[in-house]
Amino acid sequence: MSEQQQPPTGPLVVVTGMTGAGRSTAAKELEDLGYYVVDNLPPSLLRDVVRLVDESQGAGQPIAVVVDVRSGSFFGSLQANLAQKATGRRATLVFLEATDDVLVRRQEAARRPHPLQGSGRLLDGLERERVVLADLRGEADLVIDTTALNVHQLTGRIREAFGSPDSTDLRIRVVSFGFKYGIPVDADYLADMRFLPNPHWIPELRPHTGRDQEVSAYVLSQPGAAEFLDGYLPVLTGVAEGYLREGKRFMRVAIGCTGGKHRSVAMTEEVTRRLVELGLQATATHRDLGRE
């Protein structure tokens, strides 16, 4: 290594999202993971913060900054800095969100007004906030919907994503869900398993789930199941390669059926198994399993 060569830089994580969606919880977990955390940072100061940390802590020190709507009109400078890679670090933009009813409940429990509600309702503030953050949400590398997550589950998601700061592998999360409970809003890709026969209507299979061998064997043996897998896996692996070329580290695949108990669960397990066999870092989760 040349004496003039600069040491490798650490990661930069930018956390933003809706008020009440868990930004503080995410920041605390990142701090526990060894990140230098700056909360409520005006985006125009992003480069200055990175420079100061590089000088005082070293270029390898992981940094996390939390940006919220209190920063007002400065969001344009944040988007420009990230797009131009102006900090000299590989940046990951994390966006936290939740449904309005959950955000209202959390804010009311905390007895805090929304920073943008003015003299209006809390919902008015949330509506304005979604408009302000729309572009950042669209550019996020990782979107986490915290609607159904408790504090421990959210910290687990952050730990899973950033617990190994030096890792450059793409991390794929495959999640099963039930359409009757709503589509996951943070999914990058979505597949619908309702074209397969429903094990719910077979009495001996109804009590079991897609994680049980008898249900899995039934689902995977149905006409169209093998064809789906043979067609969908190349799509996912091709997208994964593209994500890596673009520097993206997270990919979320949602697979649904009516209730999220049988078909989607079995297919999620099988898709994850095949991705792992191909050498990709994939994990399976089941959002709605047990809700019936």
Side-chain angles (χ1 to χ4, degrees):
M1 180 185 294
S2 168
E3 293 183 0
Q4 302 300 318
Q5 186 172 343
Q6 295 295 319
T9 57
L12 169 64
V13 176
V14 179
V15 179
T16 189
M18 298 296 295
T19 300
R23 294 188 307 255
S24 297
T25 298
K28 179 62 170 64
E29 180 61 23
L30 287 166
E31 187 174 30
D32 290 345
L33 291 172
Y35 280 73
Y36 185 97
V37 177
V38 181
D39 198 358
N40 191 26
L41 178 75
S44 57
L45 299 180
L46 181 61
R47 279 187 290 182
D48 292 332
V49 166
V50 172
R51 177 180 55 80
L52 290 171
V53 173
D54 285 351
E55 292 175 355
S56 62
Q57 306 290 330
Q61 169 64 48
I63 302 173
V65 298
V66 181
V67 181
D68 60 39
V69 289
R70 288 173 292 178
S71 300
S73 61
F74 295 106
F75 278 118
S77 65
L78 173 62
Q79 292 173 276
N81 281 333
L82 296 179
Q84 298 166 8
K85 299 179 172 59
T87 65
R89 289 179 175 236
R90 176 175 53 81
T92 299
L93 178 60
V94 179
F95 191 96
L96 304 179
E97 65 180 8
T99 59
D100 283 350
D101 58 329
V102 168
L103 293 176
V104 167
R105 188 164 63 248
R106 291 173 182 172
Q107 286 297 101
E108 289 178 343
R111 300 179 181 275
R112 293 176 182 172
H114 190 281
L116 295 186
Q117 77 179 76
S119 59
R121 303 172 305 160
L122 184 53
L123 277 172
D124 297 329
L126 290 172
E127 183 177 348
R128 295 187 187 107
E129 185 175 34
R130 289 195 190 279
V131 172
V132 171
L133 296 177
D135 287 343
L136 282 178
R137 201 276 187 205
E139 296 176 4
D141 298 292
L142 176 62
V143 177
I144 301 178
D145 179 8
T146 69
T147 299
L149 302 182
N150 60 35
V151 170
H152 303 294
Q153 290 168 327
L154 175 56
T155 57
R157 289 287 300 276
I158 296 297
R159 191 181 315 114
E160 177 187 45
F162 301 105
S164 302
D166 295 330
S167 173
T168 58
D169 292 340
L170 178 71
R171 303 181 185 191
I172 304 173
R173 175 180 286 265
V174 188
V175 55
S176 69
F177 72 96
F179 277 94
K180 70 179 184 180
Y181 301 115
I183 295 173
V185 298
D186 50 357
D188 298 304
Y189 292 89
L190 186 146
D192 184 353
M193 295 299 104
R194 291 176 295 182
F195 71 93
L196 297 172
N198 192 346
H200 174 80
W201 303 114
I202 300 177
E204 60 268 28
L205 296 180
R206 183 180 301 174
H208 300 285
T209 76
R211 302 179 78 174
D212 295 319
Q213 195 279 330
E214 56 265 54
V215 174
S216 178
Y218 173 83
V219 171
L220 298 179
S221 67
Q222 295 306 304
E227 291 80 0
F228 168 78
L229 287 165
D230 290 342
Y232 199 49
L233 264 295
V235 171
L236 294 181
T237 55
V239 170
E241 292 172 1
Y243 269 34
L244 283 172
R245 286 194 299 270
E246 291 299 310
K248 295 181 179 294
R249 296 178 55 225
F250 308 100
M251 179 174 163
R252 186 169 172 86
V253 180
I255 299 178
C257 65
T258 303
K261 179 179 179 181
H262 295 116
R263 293 164 290 180
S264 62
V265 172
M267 198 61 75
T268 290
E269 292 287 337
E270 181 63 15
V271 167
T272 303
R273 184 187 69 79
R274 294 194 182 197
L275 289 172
V276 171
E277 279 189 350
L278 292 170
L280 294 167
Q281 187 172 327
T283 57
T285 58
H286 305 291
R287 191 192 72 177
D288 298 324
L289 196 59
R291 292 185 69 168
E292 289 188 345

